[in-house]
Amino acid sequence: MSLAFALSLGLITVLAFMGLPMGASMITGSILYLLMRGQDMGIAAEQLLNGMYTNYIMLAVPLFILAAEIMNSGSLSERLLNWCNAVVGRFRGGLAQVNILQSIVFAGMSGSAIADAAGSGKMMQYMMTKDGKYTPSYAAALTAATAVIGPIIPPSIPMVLYALVADTSIGYLFLGGVVPGLLMAGLMMLQVAITARIRNFPVEQPVPLRQLPRMTWQALPVLLMPAVLMFGIYGGVTTPTEAAAVAAFYALIVSVFIYRAVKLPDLYSSVLTSAKTTASIGMLIAGALVFNYVVTIENIPRTISATLLAWDLDPTMFLIAVNILLLLLGCVLEGTTILLVIVPVLIPTAQALGIDMVHFGVVVVVNIMLGLITPPYGLLLFIMTRIANTSMRALVADVGPFLVGLIIALLVFTFVPDTVLWLPKLFGYVSPSITP
């Protein structure tokens, strides 16, 4: 490691701790490195522009964000919750099960854990804590844990970013996340069922079964959205990026013309919020692109790859090390930073060990999502403490059992690659690598 790189890394760390956005910190540190190495400053702009404006898949990010915002501003989330309540609300701890089920369905529309928690999560918090049915901390913990499923079941914004850095098929990545996402949801449902018996959670007034067809019909446009996306991508009708545009357009049509729940001010607010979120993510991506150029000049990926290969790690031991590393980093770093800066360094070693890039991508994304509910830097924890008006200590105590269950699920599809690759292979995926 050269002195220039060490000072660059130090400057990025200092600026980030001082509160400067991570993207701006990485750009500043990278410029310092270029100055010290006597290179042209235009290289930074060149790397930024080449990465941001020549990559077609980047367009999927703002479009999926816009789709989620439009759905949150309309009555789509409310209709979805009513349908979920009719299906599973009749069981003990039914509202908790509703929370998990709505996250599964909402995951097929937003691709964002934050959108899930900030959107339908607010309504679930109110429904679960009304009349003291559940403690605020338990309701908030469950909402945070279920929101993690959002970017695992397609569509997924983190998987789009992984595809950017790993040059992997987005379509097969999306398919690879289906079974792991459902496995995670199933384990949480089992946990809730057991806890409901132990803590004697309330049983909701059951919705008569004769009303279920009517409620299904009312929620049908919402429920069809994941099917529309999947048909578009895997039916060969659209690319994943075009499917993101279809998702935003579909959400607009359903909210404005079918449900008539979104007015012009609501639409303006959704577009504005989406633009702000996209700008924030875009700045982070821009900084990562420039800094990754610096990392490449320093030959750090090759050096780390050679070091790890010299340790004679087999694929299984490497995946264990990656899981531990990413879970620890998730406690202190923002997920997108890990995905854009740390993961590219690990990819050459994974490829050299013959690990399938779709399998590796799903493992990476799940690790990064778990970082959203691990203290001290768990973004979903911060969001839910504000929504639920509860203490961080109480929230962390209640989210702990769910985190353990999700880690168990992570270990299952880390060591059983077919849980990830089974569905992609059904759609014609041929793994170029030999997974452990």
Side-chain angles (χ1 to χ4, degrees):
M1 181 187 299
S2 67
L3 176 61
F5 183 75
L7 290 176
S8 171
L9 199 58
L11 179 61
I12 292 172
T13 304
V14 170
L15 292 176
F17 275 108
M18 289 175 62
L20 192 69
M22 193 63 189
S25 300
M26 286 190 288
I27 291 175
T28 306
S30 301
I31 289 175
L32 173 65
Y33 176 88
L34 295 174
L35 278 171
M36 293 186 67
R37 292 291 297 265
Q39 297 196 27
D40 184 6
M41 293 298 97
I43 291 177
E46 179 186 353
Q47 292 298 314
L48 192 156
L49 293 174
N50 284 340
M52 295 291 284
Y53 295 110
T54 62
N55 203 303
Y56 181 60
I57 66 173
M58 287 287 295
L59 284 173
V61 176
L63 291 169
F64 279 132
I65 292 172
L66 179 60
E69 287 298 329
I70 292 174
M71 286 185 293
N72 281 334
S73 65
S75 62
L76 278 74
S77 299
E78 184 179 350
R79 290 173 186 270
L80 173 60
L81 288 179
N82 290 337
W83 179 80
C84 292
N85 186 50
V87 175
V88 297
R90 64 188 70 247
F91 305 112
R92 183 166 297 281
L95 274 181
Q97 301 287 12
V98 168
N99 199 339
I100 300 172
L101 182 59
Q102 65 85 23
S103 284
I104 295 174
V105 181
F106 200 85
M109 297 183 282
S110 71
S112 168
I114 306 302
D116 191 349
S120 58
K122 292 180 182 178
M123 283 185 279
M124 283 308 313
Q125 185 70 25
Y126 171 75
M127 291 171 63
M128 291 183 69
T129 56
K130 186 174 63 175
D131 302 326
K133 295 176 181 176
Y134 299 82
T135 63
S137 61
Y138 183 84
L142 181 60
T143 299
T146 57
V148 168
I149 301 173
I152 310 303
I153 297 176
S156 167
I157 293 173
M159 286 185 184
V160 172
L161 298 180
Y162 173 82
L164 173 69
V165 300
D167 193 24
T168 307
S169 165
I170 301 177
Y172 288 130
L173 275 170
F174 281 2
L175 281 174
V178 173
V179 173
L182 294 177
L183 175 62
M184 294 163 71
L187 282 177
M188 277 193 281
M189 283 184 161
L190 179 61
Q191 284 181 287
V192 166
I194 295 172
T195 307
R197 295 290 179 184
I198 297 173
R199 297 172 62 170
N200 196 29
F201 286 160
V203 178
E204 301 303 311
Q205 184 69 29
V207 176
L209 290 177
R210 66 178 181 274
Q211 294 185 18
L212 186 57
R214 177 180 59 83
M215 300 184 75
T216 302
W217 176 255
Q218 291 176 340
L220 189 61
V222 187
L223 299 174
L224 280 178
M225 186 167 178
V228 169
L229 285 175
M230 294 300 101
F231 173 77
I233 296 173
Y234 304 111
V237 180
T238 65
T239 66
T241 303
E242 291 165 349
V246 171
F249 183 71
Y250 183 89
L252 180 64
I253 294 297
V254 171
S255 297
V256 175
F257 296 105
I258 297 180
Y259 292 144
R260 298 181 181 178
V262 174
K263 307 300 181 186
L264 190 59
D266 300 321
L267 183 59
Y268 173 76
S269 177
S270 296
V271 172
L272 187 62
T273 303
S274 300
K276 290 179 179 178
T277 306
T278 301
S280 175
I281 295 176
M283 189 66 180
L284 191 54
I285 294 172
L289 289 169
V290 178
F291 185 66
N292 283 340
Y293 173 76
V294 171
V295 170
T296 303
I297 291 178
E298 286 287 306
N299 280 324
I300 289 177
R302 186 179 300 175
T303 302
I304 292 178
S305 179
T307 303
L308 291 174
L309 289 174
W311 289 351
D312 199 24
L313 293 176
D314 59 27
T316 300
M317 291 302 299
F318 175 75
L319 287 173
I320 292 173
V322 167
N323 279 329
I324 294 172
L325 173 65
L326 295 183
L327 285 173
L328 291 175
L329 288 175
C331 295
V332 293
L333 288 178
E334 196 271 333
T336 308
T337 304
I338 298 173
L339 191 55
L340 295 173
V341 178
I342 306 299
V343 173
V345 176
L346 301 173
I347 287 174
T349 307
Q351 291 174 324
L353 290 172
I355 296 172
D356 183 89
M357 285 294 98
V358 170
H359 176 228
F360 188 66
V362 173
V363 170
V364 163
V365 169
V366 172
N367 271 287
I368 289 171
M369 290 305 101
L370 293 183
L372 294 173
I373 56 172
T374 52
Y377 189 84
L379 189 55
L380 284 175
L381 298 181
F382 293 134
I383 290 173
M384 292 314 301
T385 52
R386 292 198 296 268
I387 290 176
N389 194 24
T390 187
S391 70
M392 180 63 77
R393 177 179 296 182
L395 178 57
V396 169
D398 278 327
V399 87
F402 293 115
L403 182 58
V404 171
L406 291 172
I407 291 175
I408 291 173
L410 170 64
L411 293 176
V412 169
F413 49 80
T414 296
F415 300 127
V416 187
D418 279 343
T419 54
V420 174
L421 299 176
W422 171 72
L423 197 55
K425 287 178 179 178
L426 281 184
F427 282 79
Y429 177 66
V430 178
S431 174
S433 309
I434 302 173
T435 337

